[in-house]
Amino acid sequence: MMAEQPLPDLEGSVCPVPLKHVEQVVMGHGSGGNMTHELVKRAFLGPFDNPALRLGNDAAIVDPENGAQLAISTDSHVVWPLFFPGGDIGRLAVCGTVNDIAMMGAEPRYLTAGFILEEGLEISLLEKVIRSMQLAAEEAGVHIVAGDTKVVQRGKADGMYINTSGVGLIEAGVHIGGQHALPGDKIILSGPIGDHGIAVLAARGELGFDTTLVSDVAPLNRLVRAILQASPNIHAMRDPTRGGLATTLNEIARQSNANITIYENTIPVRPAVSAACEMLGFDPLYVANEGKLVVFVAAPDAERVLAVMRASEYGSLAEIIGEVTSSPSSRVLMRTALGSTRVVDTLTGEMLPRIC
Amino acid sequence: MMAEQPLPDLEGSVCPVPLKHVEQVVMGHGSGGNMTHELVKRAFLGPFDNPALRLGNDAAIVDPENGAQLAISTDSHVVWPLFFPGGDIGRLAVCGTVNDIAMMGAEPRYLTAGFILEEGLEISLLEKVIRSMQLAAEEAGVHIVAGDTKVVQRGKADGMYINTSGVGLIEAGVHIGGQHALPGDKIILSGPIGDHGIAVLAARGELGFDTTLVSDVAPLNRLVRAILQASPNIHAMRDPTRGGLATTLNEIARQSNANITIYENTIPVRPAVSAACEMLGFDPLYVANEGKLVVFVAAPDAERVLAVMRASEYGSLAEIIGEVTSSPSSRVLMRTALGSTRVVDTLTGEMLPRIC
């Protein structure tokens, strides 16, 4: 083991120390942004290397050679506080994994739930979380088929952590993934960004003002089904969770080896989110969502898909926000409201810890 | 939420307060014994009710109606310390889920890995754990196809917790489960019990003497494959982890609605485990194993299966330890070395916290 060293202060840092010089885990490693990617690349991808993992999608697609194609995904949830406006760790845990599977064009079917409980947790609170998981699972039409419960001593967890893993089925002919975005594709965003992150901040009392904002946490598999029925030319989908829309678009630009251009004035942001971000110095492009998705679709089908999304409960405020352009530089560019163009980078460091 | 109340002292208690009077999570809820069962029954089984979960096996068997039958399982690992003689949390996490799937007669194929890391964890230590997971996965022949990393603040985890979930494939015609044990079945145990629990205690410095004992943590899927090839009459299998052999046998007795009789002098226990248990006041029947299994097999095939197990790396010390008898009382009885018979109950309370 390495000697204890003082940690570099990474909070809010624009240019953190490269990971190879970091000897200990810092909060930024859980951000979903650059530092998470670096940790995953350094620690996980080498040893665990396999084609499914290498693709870096929200869920792995495997073909067990018996006719079924499966999408498999996992997510541990450490959100704090456990309850927040519009949701709780239980709804989040179900929706998070349902959505990761749905983003591959798969139909989520089976979930597992692994609980790590802190000694002293109120059982009534656990029951409330479980009821919320049940409702979310019913809404999504998935079954929780396996579970596990561990207990750790007081002070060794923060109430509870929940892992959900899931298995979905993919119909023959569906090939959706972050690596399949094509130049010319239109990018549709299913609604306003940043609601989840700001709602959780509000629950922590960190906003300094009251807001009626609620988290957008929702299962998106029915919306995805409607999208797939509307067009056979869906190339990529992803839900912009940790790291926000900016990080998600950068991931897809890298995976597909193409540039992405988005238009600032087309990106929906609620006034409450704008106000909170302005006050706190955040950029909504980096704030987490838990019930939104971006769709990359061949241009001729974009309006039809947009119409279908707008007719859906969780896509009523959808907008076309940009397109894919041919360029090997794999960058995300934004035309600002003022007419200039700026590079939109992946999240660096940690903005909002334990948001999911 | 309910009012704060002083917790009843459950440690070592033979007859803990029934769960309906317990308002908070206590360590015993993670024991794998009676209290875990009560919590699962009270909090989880109602809301999440579905046929796969209701069976209470190590893994759920689902049939997604496309020809493939899948076994799905999940396990969160909170073992402390992270490294112990013979293994570490990484090897444990891979083997735990591999074994749960194998116990259903399924071939484990795909694992997911969800990490909850504590801020300040040495990255070199994480890398060591991951290499260990990789080696265990290679040994078991499974791929880790999806992963997730979360970070919590210092003091909100204990180094790291790892969830592994897994998917296995079941060949047509294999019907194995804790509910299928039949009167007349012989029960084979794959080797000495208690190694894992005592090795972890040794790592904690709680033994008070030195021991060369190592944990038995191992992937058992190849042993299971050999067992299934040796006999088409395997009815149930299970790995006696948390709660030990006694708890596992009680689970199967309950699930199959039959009595189980075991013979004390046939149950292998290493001298180091006996000595430690005697000193600490533990019963090896309740100490956790991570590389053992019990097989319930039709009597005519028992010797053949035993021979195959003994020829296998992880079954070389296998013994026939008992049989299933027809009785609706669903009890486990033990003929002691002295010739008397006693009831062997499920683990009550918590003996060794955070053993897996």
Side-chain angles (χ1 to χ4, degrees), chain A residues 5-333:
Chain A
Q5 289 181 357
L7 277 180
D9 177 17
L10 293 172
E11 206 145 312
S13 163
V14 178
C15 174
V17 183
L19 185 72
K20 60 178 181 282
H21 301 306
V22 178
E23 311 294 3
Q24 293 171 324
V25 170
V26 297
M27 292 305 292
H29 289 135
S31 66
N34 262 332
M35 296 189 68
T36 306
H37 284 292
E38 281 187 56
L39 179 67
V40 168
K41 213 166 106 185
R42 167 172 161 186
F44 299 94
L45 288 189
F48 294 161
D49 187 49
N50 61 66
L53 195 62
R54 214 176 301 138
L55 281 174
N57 282 317
D58 279 354
I61 304 298
V62 297
D63 178 359
E65 292 146 30
N66 61 359
Q69 229 192 5
L70 305 176
I72 301 178
S73 188
T74 190
D75 238 332
S76 293
H77 297 84
V78 300
V79 67
W80 185 85
L82 298 175
F83 294 82
F84 47 81
D88 60 78
I89 190 171
R91 182 169 172 84
L92 192 64
V94 169
C95 296
T97 292
V98 161
N99 292 348
D100 280 347
I101 290 170
M103 293 310 132
M104 304 306 295
E107 186 59 49
R109 291 288 290 273
Y110 309 107
L111 292 196
T112 64
F115 294 82
I116 297 175
L117 307 177
E118 185 184 9
E119 184 187 17
L121 179 77
E122 299 284 338
I123 289 178
S124 61
L125 194 149
L126 174 64
E127 290 175 320
K128 211 170 144 190
V129 167
I130 287 169
R131 276 195 298 276
S132 172
M133 292 182 78
Q134 176 202 0
L135 289 174
E138 280 174 12
E139 185 184 347
V142 297
H143 291 295
I144 295 171
V145 295
D148 176 56
T149 308
K150 294 295 191 309
V151 180
V152 295
Q153 298 94 332
R154 276 173 205 268
K156 299 294 183 191
D158 206 356
M160 74 176 92
Y161 302 140
I162 305 177
N163 175 284
T164 46
S165 301
V167 176
L169 305 180
I170 306 183
E171 279 189 34
V174 173
H175 297 286
I176 291 172
Q179 72 275 31
H180 294 314
L182 288 178
D185 280 358
K186 293 291 182 189
I187 304 168
I188 312 177
L189 171 65
S190 64
I193 56 172
D195 295 4
H196 176 72
I198 301 302
V200 172
L201 275 195
R204 290 181 192 165
E206 289 179 20
L207 278 194
F209 57 85
D210 283 342
T211 174
T212 55
L213 194 72
V214 295
S215 165
D216 57 348
V217 56
L220 298 176
N221 52 322
R222 287 172 207 274
L223 174 59
V224 165
R225 211 182 300 147
I227 290 169
L228 293 180
Q229 279 165 359
S231 165
N233 300 305
I234 306 298
H235 298 147
M237 283 187 286
R238 191 157 296 171
D239 53 337
T241 55
R242 276 189 299 178
L245 179 64
T247 302
T248 290
L249 294 178
N250 269 282
E251 286 169 5
I252 294 176
R254 252 198 317 266
Q255 283 182 272
S256 292
N257 207 27
N259 264 9
I260 285 174
T261 302
I262 54 175
Y263 301 92
E264 186 173 23
N265 57 14
T266 63
I267 299 171
V269 185
R270 292 185 203 278
V273 171
S274 288
C277 283
E278 203 158 315
M279 199 191 68
L280 298 163
F282 291 157
D283 183 336
L285 288 173
Y286 295 92
V287 179
N289 312 278
E290 291 291 346
K292 296 299 180 318
L293 57 80
V294 284
V295 188
F296 288 68
V297 54
D301 292 1
E303 287 295 339
R304 187 165 70 246
V305 171
L306 179 67
V308 161
M309 290 174 71
R310 284 184 174 166
S312 169
E313 181 181 3
Y314 295 126
S316 59
L317 299 174
E319 295 287 350
I320 296 175
I321 61 160
E323 60 244 325
V324 181
T325 53
S326 171
S327 163
S329 68
S330 302
R331 293 183 125 174
V332 177
L333 303 168

Side-chain angles (χ1 to χ4, degrees), chain A residues 1-5 7 19 22-31 36 39-40 42-44 46-50 52-53 58-60 62-70 72-78 109-127 129-131 133-134 138 143-158 161-167 169 242 353-354 356, chain B residues 1-5 7 19 22-31 36 39-40 42-44 46-50 52-53 58-60 62-70 72-78 109-127 129-131 133-134 138 143-158 161-167 169 242 353-354 356:
Chain A
M1 230 176 298
M2 301 185 186
E4 281 261 333
Q5 289 181 357
L7 277 180
L19 185 72
V22 178
E23 311 294 3
Q24 293 171 324
V25 170
V26 297
M27 292 305 292
H29 289 135
S31 66
T36 306
L39 179 67
V40 168
R42 167 172 161 186
F44 299 94
F48 294 161
D49 187 49
N50 61 66
L53 195 62
D58 279 354
V62 297
D63 178 359
E65 292 146 30
N66 61 359
Q69 229 192 5
L70 305 176
I72 301 178
S73 188
T74 190
D75 238 332
S76 293
H77 297 84
V78 300
R109 291 288 290 273
Y110 309 107
L111 292 196
T112 64
F115 294 82
I116 297 175
L117 307 177
E118 185 184 9
E119 184 187 17
L121 179 77
E122 299 284 338
I123 289 178
S124 61
L125 194 149
L126 174 64
E127 290 175 320
V129 167
I130 287 169
R131 276 195 298 276
M133 292 182 78
Q134 176 202 0
E138 280 174 12
H143 291 295
I144 295 171
V145 295
D148 176 56
T149 308
K150 294 295 191 309
V151 180
V152 295
Q153 298 94 332
R154 276 173 205 268
K156 299 294 183 191
D158 206 356
Y161 302 140
I162 305 177
N163 175 284
T164 46
S165 301
V167 176
L169 305 180
R242 276 189 299 178
R354 296 183 55 194
C356 62
Chain B
M1 233 177 295
M2 299 184 189
E4 282 260 332
Q5 288 181 359
L7 278 180
L19 185 72
V22 178
E23 311 294 4
Q24 292 171 322
V25 171
V26 297
M27 292 306 292
H29 289 135
S31 66
T36 306
L39 178 67
V40 168
R42 167 172 160 186
F44 299 94
F48 294 161
D49 187 50
N50 61 66
L53 195 62
D58 279 354
V62 297
D63 178 359
E65 290 147 33
N66 61 359
Q69 229 192 5
L70 305 177
I72 300 178
S73 188
T74 190
D75 238 332
S76 292
H77 298 83
V78 300
R109 291 288 290 274
Y110 309 108
L111 292 195
T112 64
F115 294 83
I116 297 175
L117 307 178
E118 184 185 8
E119 183 187 17
L121 179 77
E122 299 284 339
I123 289 177
S124 61
L125 196 149
L126 173 64
E127 290 176 321
V129 167
I130 287 169
R131 275 195 298 276
M133 293 181 78
Q134 175 202 1
E138 280 174 11
H143 290 295
I144 296 172
V145 295
D148 176 56
T149 308
K150 294 294 191 309
V151 180
V152 295
Q153 298 93 332
R154 276 172 204 268
K156 300 295 183 190
D158 207 354
Y161 303 139
I162 305 177
N163 175 285
T164 47
S165 301
V167 176
L169 305 180
R242 276 189 299 179
R354 296 183 54 194
C356 63

